[in-house]
Amino acid sequence: MTQRRSWGEQTKMRYSNFYRRPSFAFGMIAGIPLFLLISATAQVLVFVAWIVGALMVVLLLAAVAASVSGAQNMKLLERENEERHEQANLIRQKRREKARALNAQPRNEKAIGQRPSAYVAGSASTTGGHMNYDPRFALVDTEGNERFPAIINGTFQIGKARDAMPTDIEAFARAILVHAQGGRFVRADGGKPGILKFSGRAREAVAYRLDPAIAAALEIPASGSR
């Protein structure tokens, strides 16, 4: 006769058989490395996220520092430009004052060949024809003779190779007296046509005279010597 088990014994046996099943054992064995794998992956992700966050913070700080440095550099450049502009204005003002003072002083017209007169283009006789000249500007040579800017085909000539051929006497005078270039000159009688300079080692020209209006425009004295 089979002995009937109590409800407690039956329940205990049922759970004991469940734990002994192969499916439960496989789940327990497979679940342990799966839990470890998930934990390791999470740790790697956290580490990567920390690295990325740190890099972003570093980049943000570098960008802020570059922005601040750029702003400071811009301010320094602005200050330097303002100082240069002020210095240039002071230099120009001093030149104007010096030119006015020199122009206001009485000049020895005989010493530099000064000939105050209204502008009338002159004509110099040369071998083979005539050469026009402009009497508003003259270089004085070592013999005391005035040499005037030659007008050839309606233009002045700068440099032996005719580097420039302006039609304006102011541009020609600026090239000779300010930029220290050579220009073609001729005497009123047509003698000694050629290139003269009022700078450097060239000593053939020892003085100059210039129309006061042109001198004021160039901000230089109307006459001078060296």
Side-chain angles (χ1 to χ4, degrees):
M1 184 174 181
T2 305
Q3 186 177 359
R4 187 175 180 179
R5 295 184 178 86
S6 63
W7 181 83
E9 291 178 350
Q10 292 179 2
T11 303
K12 184 177 180 181
M13 185 179 292
R14 191 181 299 114
Y15 279 102
S16 176
N17 293 334
F18 175 77
Y19 290 129
R20 292 175 182 176
R21 291 178 183 177
S23 59
F24 176 79
F26 176 78
M28 289 295 294
I29 295 172
I32 293 173
L34 181 62
F35 172 77
L36 294 176
L37 180 62
I38 294 174
S39 178
T41 303
Q43 291 177 1
V44 171
L45 291 176
V46 170
F47 179 75
V48 171
W50 184 86
I51 294 294
V52 172
L55 289 175
M56 291 181 65
V57 171
V58 170
L59 292 175
L60 180 61
L61 292 176
V64 172
S67 177
V68 173
S69 178
Q72 292 177 350
N73 291 335
M74 287 295 295
K75 290 181 179 179
L76 290 175
L77 289 175
E78 290 177 357
R79 289 178 183 175
E80 290 179 357
N81 291 333
E82 290 177 358
E83 291 177 356
R84 291 176 182 174
H85 186 66
E86 291 177 356
Q87 291 178 357
N89 289 335
L90 289 174
I91 292 173
R92 282 194 291 266
Q93 185 177 358
K94 289 180 179 179
R95 287 180 178 175
R96 293 193 191 100
E97 293 175 354
K98 184 177 180 180
R100 289 169 186 163
L102 291 174
N103 291 334
Q105 293 176 358
R107 295 185 294 272
N108 188 346
E109 297 180 357
K110 184 176 181 180
I112 62 171
Q114 179 77 12
R115 296 180 183 177
S117 61
Y119 165 60
V120 178
S123 177
S125 298
T126 60
T127 303
H130 289 77
M131 182 182 296
N132 293 330
Y133 62 87
D134 193 326
R136 291 178 292 178
F137 175 33
L139 293 182
V140 182
D141 59 23
T142 54
E143 298 176 358
N145 297 318
E146 287 184 332
R147 309 271 283 275
F148 302 99
I151 302 175
I152 302 174
N153 296 327
T155 64
F156 303 98
Q157 295 185 3
I158 299 173
K160 292 182 179 180
R162 299 181 181 180
D163 301 327
M165 293 185 291
T167 58
D168 184 9
I169 184 62
E170 181 180 326
F172 181 79
R174 183 187 299 275
I176 305 301
L177 300 176
V178 178
H179 299 306
Q181 294 179 276
R184 189 169 296 278
F185 289 80
V186 65
R187 286 196 324 197
D189 60 3
K192 294 186 177 181
I195 301 296
L196 286 181
K197 293 182 69 175
F198 192 69
S199 61
R201 297 181 179 179
R203 293 296 177 183
E204 190 173 356
V206 296
Y208 77 89
R209 70 169 179 83
L210 185 62
D211 182 90
I214 301 174
L218 298 181
E219 299 180 358
I220 61 174
S223 62
S225 60
R226 61 176 188 150

